[in-house]
Amino acid sequence: MTHPAHGHGLMVYNSILALLSVLNPTTICPQVDYPGKEVGLVTDPSVDEASGLAASQINHDVFWTLNDSDGPSCVYALAINGTLLYTLCLEGALNFDWEAVSIAPCDSKYVILNSNVFYIPAQLMVSRITNTDFRILMIFFNCRDSDVFCIFIGDIGDNSHKRDVINVFRVLEPHIDSKTTKKEETNSWQVFNFRYGGKKVFNAESMLIDPDTRELVIVTKSPIPPYAYVFKTALDIEPNTVGILEDTGIKLMLPDATDAAISTDGQVIIVRLYFGAFLWPRRPRHSSKSTIVDILREEECIVSVGIQQQGESVALNDLGTSYFTHSEHVNQSIWQYDILSY
């Protein structure tokens, strides 16, 4: 949640962005509808340190956000106009420094029976069920349903560079009635532990999940070169184990990365900082399903996120044709930027 000083800091950031924008003049980049459209205003005092923004996959025009660093262990569903619709709190979870939120398909341990969604731990799949029940469950166990999505919460912040392990929480995304405001607590969540390779420590606020490879990708945050390292690991690990984040060798010239987002098909990516963003737009590629890491090796486009008080949130719509931004503090606007034709 640290942020650069205004004034001189703003001049430095704008100079960096100006330099980066001319380094690759041959890069094909789309036009962006600047200065964007103010589509919402978040006035609820519950959302005062918003860090991270993710578009819901099952609720139309809804975004999920959270408060960082010692805030409540809750995620908040916002209508596109900024109205708080739903507060989902993870009972017993610790918010050491929640910084990122992503929506992705749940893994195959979620099953659907009679329109209800259940989480089935692997160790329970082999006991206390009949052979018939087992066959029925296994049909579902090996399938994913397009309507079963989870909220993944990145407890990945480390301003003091002292954490041996970072965490990712997973909880089922609920269907929301936009006509009512609701608050709910749940103990049906899981937490997964990860460590950077070589026992290194990093601060980070940007998390991406590859919808096809099921890779977890972390972009680190620093105000000094080389600014941002990119790490990856398998997302779906067993509880009570530690996944090792592997250095991809990618270093982004992106100072103070504060959030990241990906389109539903994984082919459009944006990583923001306080005063701009790197965009990897939809392009003709050798593979129709390039991975996040493949795309981050390509040349980026420099786009605006406007001037915000402390912007630590960015989201893409499902098609990757628009991105949305928001800022910490109360009474902050949601801005929409449409990605236009090339």
Side-chain angles (χ1 to χ4, degrees), residues 56-249:
S56 171
Q57 297 295 302
I58 60 175
N59 301 288
H60 182 63
D61 281 346
V62 170
F63 297 96
W64 289 96
T65 190
L66 49 79
N67 291 314
D68 64 14
S69 193
D70 296 322
S73 300
C74 305
V75 287
Y76 306 89
L78 303 172
I80 194 170
N81 67 4
T83 301
L84 178 61
L85 299 175
Y86 198 103
T87 301
L88 178 62
C89 298
L90 279 59
E91 183 180 347
L94 173 65
N95 179 348
F96 183 87
D97 195 358
W98 291 13
E99 291 286 357
V101 58
S102 296
I103 308 297
C106 301
D107 71 18
S108 58
K109 294 182 180 66
Y110 282 87
V111 298
I112 305 172
L113 292 174
N114 299 324
S115 299
N116 295 311
V117 180
F118 300 93
Y119 175 73
I120 309 296
Q123 63 269 26
L124 297 185
M125 290 298 298
V126 295
S127 64
R128 295 193 299 275
I129 52 178
T130 67
N131 289 335
T132 301
D133 290 336
F134 184 80
R135 287 193 296 270
I136 295 173
L137 280 171
M138 287 303 295
I139 292 172
F140 287 97
F141 186 81
N142 291 301
C143 298
R144 290 179 185 158
D145 189 277
S146 59
D147 289 332
V148 183
F149 285 86
C150 278
I151 305 169
F152 293 85
I153 301 161
D155 190 353
I156 59 177
D158 189 11
N159 291 323
S160 300
H161 293 84
K162 63 182 182 182
R163 300 181 67 179
D164 294 328
V165 174
I166 58 175
N167 313 110
V168 174
F169 293 86
R170 179 180 66 192
V171 64
L172 188 70
E173 181 183 7
H175 288 268
I176 294 172
D177 182 357
S178 60
K179 297 178 183 179
T180 62
T181 301
K182 184 176 180 180
K183 182 173 182 178
E184 181 181 8
E185 288 194 359
T186 180
N187 57 12
S188 296
W189 51 267
Q190 299 81 43
V191 62
F192 304 94
N193 304 313
F194 299 93
R195 178 184 294 123
Y196 294 102
K199 297 184 178 180
K200 297 179 179 179
V201 292
F202 294 91
N203 187 29
E205 298 185 4
S206 304
M207 178 179 76
L208 297 163
I209 294 174
D210 195 303
D212 292 307
T213 66
R214 302 291 292 176
E215 282 184 328
L216 171 70
V217 176
I218 302 291
V219 180
T220 66
K221 177 185 180 182
S222 174
I224 58 175
Y227 299 120
Y229 294 90
V230 178
F231 288 83
K232 71 172 185 176
T233 192
L235 172 66
D236 301 318
I237 63 174
E238 290 299 322
N240 303 316
T241 63
V242 179
I244 304 301
L245 286 153
E246 168 194 348
D247 189 347
T248 64

Side-chain angles (χ1 to χ4, degrees), residues 52-53 99-101 205-206 257-261 270-272 312-315:
L53 194 68
E99 291 286 357
V101 58
E205 298 185 4
S206 304
T258 62
D259 197 19
I270 189 168
V271 183
R272 75 160 294 171
E312 298 191 359
S313 300
V314 68

Side-chain angles (χ1 to χ4, degrees), residues 260-282:
I262 189 170
S263 60
T264 300
D265 67 355
Q267 299 304 291
V268 182
I269 298 172
I270 189 168
V271 183
R272 75 160 294 171
L273 54 151
Y274 289 108
F275 302 112
F278 280 15
L279 173 71
W280 289 263
R282 192 175 302 279

